């Protein structure tokens, strides 16, 4: 994603305009074998590749997780999820606070997105997120478990 998705000028502009971006390598000892993706252009890798190692989390200013999707995403898919997160935030928040019906909107929007999902990977993420509105502090360090039902270890 670093060399393709985050090199796209439109993605960079949107991220800089709407989000505070942070990056951390929570599993620095995990290394990919040389040649793991040999012969494949980055754009040919399916969305969701490396889902145990990469997760994009879109959180509100108060730490509420608006959307999350694991795995490496191509530019088109990342823009889709970025737009979903931005639109959902606008529906959930007004000024500096969560609207009274923000939690219900969150659930319904994720369920609707799951029904329209282009692949099972996105479907599963939206369905898991639709179950409960949580803050990022409640998710860490088990965000992968929460989304995909399996433990991650260093």
């Amino acid at each position: 994603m670093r060399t393709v998705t985050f090199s796209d000028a439109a993605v960079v502009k949107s991220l800089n305009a709407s989000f505070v971006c942070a990056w951390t390598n929570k599993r620095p000892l995990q290394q990919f074998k040389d040649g793991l993706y040999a012969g494949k252009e980055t754009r040919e890798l399916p969305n969701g590749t490396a889902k145990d190692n990469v997760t994009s989390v879109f959180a509100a200013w108060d730490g509420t997780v608006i959307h999350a999707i694991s795995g490496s995403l191509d530019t088109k898919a990342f823009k889709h999820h970025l737009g979903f997160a931005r639109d959902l935030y606008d529906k959930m928040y007004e000024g500096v606070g969560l609207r009274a019906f923000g939690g219900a909107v969150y659930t319904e929007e994720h369920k609707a997105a799951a029904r329209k999902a282009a692949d099972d990977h996105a479907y599963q993420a939206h369905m898991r997120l639709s179950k409960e509105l949580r803050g990022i502090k409640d998710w860490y360090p088990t965000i992968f478990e929460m989304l995909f039902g399996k433990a991650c270890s260093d």
Side-chain angles (χ1 to χ4, degrees), residues 132-145:
E132 58 189 320
L133 182 63
R134 296 184 73 167
I136 200 157
K137 68 179 181 161
D138 300 323
W139 284 55
Y140 177 80
T142 60
I143 196 162
F144 294 111
E145 285 181 65

